[in-house]
mmCIF file of all heavy atoms in Angstrom:
data_model
loop_
_atom_site.group_PDB
_atom_site.id
_atom_site.type_symbol
_atom_site.label_atom_id
_atom_site.label_comp_id
_atom_site.label_asym_id
_atom_site.label_seq_id
_atom_site.Cartn_x
_atom_site.Cartn_y
_atom_site.Cartn_z
ATOM 1 N N VAL A 26 -45.371 -93.274 -34.753
ATOM 2 C CA VAL A 26 -44.609 -94.214 -33.943
ATOM 3 C C VAL A 26 -43.262 -93.605 -33.538
ATOM 4 O O VAL A 26 -42.692 -92.813 -34.280
ATOM 5 C CB VAL A 26 -44.350 -95.554 -34.677
ATOM 6 C CG1 VAL A 26 -45.634 -96.290 -34.939
ATOM 7 C CG2 VAL A 26 -43.606 -95.347 -35.974
ATOM 8 N N ALA A 27 -42.792 -93.974 -32.353
ATOM 9 C CA ALA A 27 -41.426 -93.646 -31.936
ATOM 10 C C ALA A 27 -40.545 -94.786 -32.440
ATOM 11 O O ALA A 27 -40.920 -95.960 -32.324
ATOM 12 C CB ALA A 27 -41.342 -93.527 -30.428
ATOM 13 N N ILE A 28 -39.384 -94.466 -32.990
ATOM 14 C CA ILE A 28 -38.533 -95.470 -33.634
ATOM 15 C C ILE A 28 -37.179 -95.546 -32.948
ATOM 16 O O ILE A 28 -36.572 -94.524 -32.629
ATOM 17 C CB ILE A 28 -38.338 -95.123 -35.127
ATOM 18 C CG1 ILE A 28 -39.681 -95.113 -35.828
ATOM 19 C CG2 ILE A 28 -37.381 -96.098 -35.796
ATOM 20 C CD1 ILE A 28 -39.644 -94.546 -37.225
ATOM 21 N N ARG A 29 -36.696 -96.778 -32.752
ATOM 22 C CA ARG A 29 -35.354 -97.029 -32.242
ATOM 23 C C ARG A 29 -34.667 -98.018 -33.173
ATOM 24 O O ARG A 29 -35.264 -99.005 -33.582
ATOM 25 C CB ARG A 29 -35.409 -97.647 -30.849
ATOM 26 C CG ARG A 29 -35.831 -96.712 -29.780
ATOM 27 C CD ARG A 29 -35.630 -97.350 -28.436
ATOM 28 N NE ARG A 29 -36.452 -96.679 -27.440
ATOM 29 C CZ ARG A 29 -36.854 -97.221 -26.333
ATOM 30 N NH1 ARG A 29 -36.543 -98.458 -26.040
ATOM 31 N NH2 ARG A 29 -37.589 -96.537 -25.489
ATOM 32 N N GLY A 30 -33.403 -97.733 -33.461
ATOM 33 C CA GLY A 30 -32.613 -98.640 -34.277
ATOM 34 C C GLY A 30 -32.475 -98.141 -35.703
ATOM 35 O O GLY A 30 -33.070 -97.151 -36.098
ATOM 36 N N THR A 31 -31.667 -98.885 -36.459
ATOM 37 C CA THR A 31 -31.438 -98.576 -37.868
ATOM 38 C C THR A 31 -31.344 -99.879 -38.635
ATOM 39 O O THR A 31 -31.240 -100.949 -38.045
ATOM 40 C CB THR A 31 -30.125 -97.782 -38.066
ATOM 41 O OG1 THR A 31 -29.046 -98.562 -37.562
ATOM 42 C CG2 THR A 31 -30.171 -96.435 -37.366
ATOM 43 N N GLY A 32 -31.355 -99.782 -39.937
ATOM 44 C CA GLY A 32 -31.191 -100.963 -40.762
ATOM 45 C C GLY A 32 -32.501 -101.491 -41.300
ATOM 46 O O GLY A 32 -33.496 -100.782 -41.378
ATOM 47 N N GLY A 33 -32.510 -102.774 -41.646
ATOM 48 C CA GLY A 33 -33.653 -103.399 -42.282
ATOM 49 C C GLY A 33 -34.844 -103.592 -41.381
ATOM 50 O O GLY A 33 -35.975 -103.692 -41.845
ATOM 51 N N SER A 34 -34.614 -103.668 -40.075
ATOM 52 C CA SER A 34 -35.719 -103.776 -39.134
ATOM 53 C C SER A 34 -35.412 -102.907 -37.922
ATOM 54 O O SER A 34 -34.266 -102.784 -37.502
ATOM 55 C CB SER A 34 -35.955 -105.230 -38.708
ATOM 56 O OG SER A 34 -34.828 -105.736 -38.040
ATOM 57 N N VAL A 35 -36.439 -102.292 -37.374
ATOM 58 C CA VAL A 35 -36.286 -101.403 -36.227
ATOM 59 C C VAL A 35 -37.395 -101.695 -35.228
ATOM 60 O O VAL A 35 -38.364 -102.384 -35.531
ATOM 61 C CB VAL A 35 -36.331 -99.913 -36.635
ATOM 62 C CG1 VAL A 35 -35.216 -99.560 -37.594
ATOM 63 C CG2 VAL A 35 -37.670 -99.536 -37.214
ATOM 64 N N ASP A 36 -37.255 -101.135 -34.027
ATOM 65 C CA ASP A 36 -38.294 -101.228 -33.015
ATOM 66 C C ASP A 36 -39.151 -99.977 -33.092
ATOM 67 O O ASP A 36 -38.637 -98.862 -33.092
ATOM 68 C CB ASP A 36 -37.684 -101.325 -31.615
ATOM 69 C CG ASP A 36 -36.875 -102.592 -31.421
ATOM 70 O OD1 ASP A 36 -37.242 -103.621 -32.019
ATOM 71 O OD2 ASP A 36 -35.901 -102.564 -30.664
ATOM 72 N N GLY A 37 -40.450 -100.158 -33.160
ATOM 73 C CA GLY A 37 -41.392 -99.049 -33.133
ATOM 74 C C GLY A 37 -42.226 -99.146 -31.870
ATOM 75 O O GLY A 37 -42.475 -100.245 -31.362
ATOM 76 N N PHE A 38 -42.655 -98.011 -31.358
ATOM 77 C CA PHE A 38 -43.447 -97.989 -30.132
ATOM 78 C C PHE A 38 -44.621 -97.026 -30.284
ATOM 79 O O PHE A 38 -44.450 -95.908 -30.755
ATOM 80 C CB PHE A 38 -42.587 -97.553 -28.935
ATOM 81 C CG PHE A 38 -41.474 -98.517 -28.650
ATOM 82 C CD1 PHE A 38 -40.235 -98.350 -29.237
ATOM 83 C CD2 PHE A 38 -41.668 -99.601 -27.810
ATOM 84 C CE1 PHE A 38 -39.203 -99.233 -28.999
ATOM 85 C CE2 PHE A 38 -40.639 -100.496 -27.566
ATOM 86 C CZ PHE A 38 -39.405 -100.317 -28.158
ATOM 87 N N VAL A 39 -45.807 -97.497 -29.871
ATOM 88 C CA VAL A 39 -47.013 -96.674 -29.829
ATOM 89 C C VAL A 39 -47.596 -96.834 -28.435
ATOM 90 O O VAL A 39 -48.025 -97.932 -28.054
ATOM 91 C CB VAL A 39 -48.051 -97.115 -30.885
ATOM 92 C CG1 VAL A 39 -49.334 -96.322 -30.747
ATOM 93 C CG2 VAL A 39 -47.490 -96.991 -32.289
ATOM 94 N N ASP A 40 -47.563 -95.778 -27.642
ATOM 95 C CA ASP A 40 -48.078 -95.815 -26.266
ATOM 96 C C ASP A 40 -47.537 -97.022 -25.487
ATOM 97 O O ASP A 40 -48.286 -97.706 -24.783
ATOM 98 C CB ASP A 40 -49.602 -95.821 -26.259
ATOM 99 C CG ASP A 40 -50.186 -94.537 -26.810
ATOM 100 O OD1 ASP A 40 -49.565 -93.476 -26.634
ATOM 101 O OD2 ASP A 40 -51.271 -94.597 -27.430
ATOM 102 N N GLY A 41 -46.248 -97.317 -25.642
ATOM 103 C CA GLY A 41 -45.615 -98.416 -24.914
ATOM 104 C C GLY A 41 -45.764 -99.777 -25.567
ATOM 105 O O GLY A 41 -45.165 -100.744 -25.114
#
Side-chain angles (χ1 to χ4, degrees):
V26 295
I28 299 169
R29 288 189 200 156
T31 59
S34 62
V35 299
D36 296 327
F38 297 91
V39 175
D40 295 328

